[in-house]
Amino acid sequence: MAERLNGDPYQNYISIVIYNVKRRNTQFRSDTALQYRQKLIQRVGEDNDKSVEALTKKAGIQVITVGDSERERWNTRCAQMRDELAGEIYPQSLLEQVNALLKAYRSSH
């Protein structure tokens, strides 16, 4: 015989049904998210391509390739600016948290 909760023989059954429905709903949401993830990535890429095309053809903006040394200079200057702005427009602790998360991500990928 099923264990009774609060003296009600149906309480356990109801709890099990609710638990299973919640678990199935969670799995359904997860499956649905995976199903549409690739579609979203594809559409974002298409939108990006259209945006670049509009900027280059309609607005006359020229796309250039940046060399490694120039990119390193930009990265260095951006890092300096992040440090300088910490405490002024965002807390130093936020910068430290973001840097820690970035370091952890880069070390695992």
Side-chain angles (χ1 to χ4, degrees):
M1 175 174 254
E3 197 176 332
R4 294 182 182 189
L5 186 64
N6 296 331
D8 185 350
Y10 298 104
Q11 185 66 39
N12 269 352
Y13 177 74
I14 293 169
S15 295
I16 290 169
V17 169
I18 290 171
Y19 171 77
N20 285 331
V21 168
K22 287 181 179 179
R23 192 176 67 179
R24 283 190 204 125
N25 284 342
T26 299
Q27 184 62 42
F28 172 76
R29 287 191 303 266
S30 177
D31 291 345
T32 303
L34 290 174
Q35 177 184 357
Y36 288 99
R37 177 179 176 259
Q38 191 60 37
K39 289 180 182 181
L40 177 61
I41 290 170
Q42 181 179 352
R43 284 193 179 171
V44 167
E46 290 169 359
D47 286 346
N48 288 345
D49 292 342
K50 288 177 185 176
S51 298
V52 169
E53 183 178 346
L55 290 171
T56 56
K57 290 184 178 178
K58 295 178 183 174
I61 294 176
Q62 183 180 3
V63 176
I64 61 168
T65 302
V66 178
D68 291 340
S69 63
E70 187 66 20
R71 180 172 289 126
E72 185 58 38
R73 287 181 53 213
W74 287 1
N75 289 341
T76 299
R77 182 61 186 132
C78 288
Q80 290 171 347
M81 290 176 64
R82 284 191 301 268
D83 292 341
E84 291 170 9
L85 294 173
E88 290 185 32
I89 63 170
Y90 48 82
Q92 178 70 35
S93 60
L94 177 62
L95 177 62
E96 291 167 0
Q97 182 181 9
V98 168
N99 285 337
L101 290 169
L102 181 60
K103 183 179 180 180
Y105 174 82
R106 286 180 175 165
S107 69
S108 67
H109 289 84

